[in-house]
Amino acid sequence: MATPEKAAAVAELTDKFRSSNAAVLTEYRGLTVAQLKTLRRSLGENAQYAVVKNTLTKIAANEAGITLDDQLFAGPTAVAFVTGDPVESAKGLRDFAKDNPNLVIKGGVLDGKAMSADEIKKLADLESREVLLSKLAGAFKGKQSQAAQLFQALPSKLVRTVDALRAKQDEQGGAE
């Protein structure tokens, strides 16, 4: 590393890798400035999309303790650093790539583990964290309701059985 500018760039990228939940490496060759601006907006508020130098990014990833395949650093590279929900950003990248085939998802990192491009596309197919949590809460609520109905049914069945026995005893007592 010859210059202080490069050292500062590596330090900044290292911090971004460490502070991000996920990072997705893409190739942006052929995209216009306007398209890149649209892409940045589609990623959501919790993601930063930055064009990076391959060598400096590779050094920064290594310093952050992340091992990435060298093939991810072929060609022009940009990285989406995600600090929020990685599913939302993965969906934004996937949807933008459908409309703009010049954007190629190369791979990335999720919670410190390397991911292939296919794994990132599968991540994009997941529902958001909030939707999954609400479904889980609904399932728990449904099970609680079933348990409450079951516990309520036992005493009421017992009361009906006792009433039926009394009625039967009254009939037998009145018949004699």
Side-chain angles (χ1 to χ4, degrees):
M1 226 176 305
T3 64
E5 292 85 16
K6 288 183 181 178
V10 169
E12 182 182 348
L13 288 170
T14 303
D15 287 343
K16 285 184 180 182
F17 273 115
R18 287 184 179 148
S19 65
S20 299
N21 298 337
V24 181
L25 282 78
T26 64
E27 183 175 324
Y28 63 93
R29 186 186 332 231
L31 293 177
T32 65
V33 173
Q35 288 172 322
L36 288 173
K37 188 175 181 180
T38 304
L39 173 59
R40 285 184 174 100
R41 272 191 248 120
S42 71
L43 292 178
E45 296 176 9
N46 298 321
Q48 292 180 339
Y49 189 74
V51 174
V52 295
K53 292 190 178 230
N54 289 335
T55 306
L56 301 180
T57 305
K58 188 174 180 182
I59 293 168
N62 287 334
E63 286 184 9
I66 299 169
T67 304
L68 294 171
D69 188 10
D70 290 342
Q71 294 176 3
L72 295 177
F73 298 103
T77 303
V79 182
F81 293 101
V82 183
T83 55
D85 184 10
V87 174
E88 178 186 349
S89 297
K91 284 182 183 189
L93 285 168
R94 178 200 60 196
D95 295 344
F96 187 85
K98 282 181 185 176
D99 297 335
N100 301 284
N102 288 335
L103 180 74
V104 178
I105 298 172
K106 296 179 181 182
V109 179
L110 177 63
D111 293 328
K113 296 179 183 166
M115 295 181 70
S116 69
D118 290 336
E119 290 171 326
I120 291 172
K121 290 174 185 170
K122 286 179 186 175
L123 180 67
D125 292 336
L126 291 176
E127 293 174 331
S128 70
R129 182 176 190 270
E130 290 78 19
V131 171
L132 292 174
L133 288 174
S134 65
K135 284 185 175 183
L136 182 64
F140 282 144
K141 183 179 178 186
K143 293 298 178 188
Q144 288 175 343
S145 296
Q146 288 175 348
Q149 289 173 356
L150 176 67
F151 293 137
Q152 187 178 11
L154 292 175
S156 63
K157 187 173 184 181
L158 176 66
V159 168
R160 285 194 303 271
T161 304
V162 169
D163 285 345
L165 285 172
R166 274 194 204 138
K168 188 172 184 181
Q169 284 178 348
D170 288 345
E171 284 177 16
Q172 288 176 351
E176 293 176 20

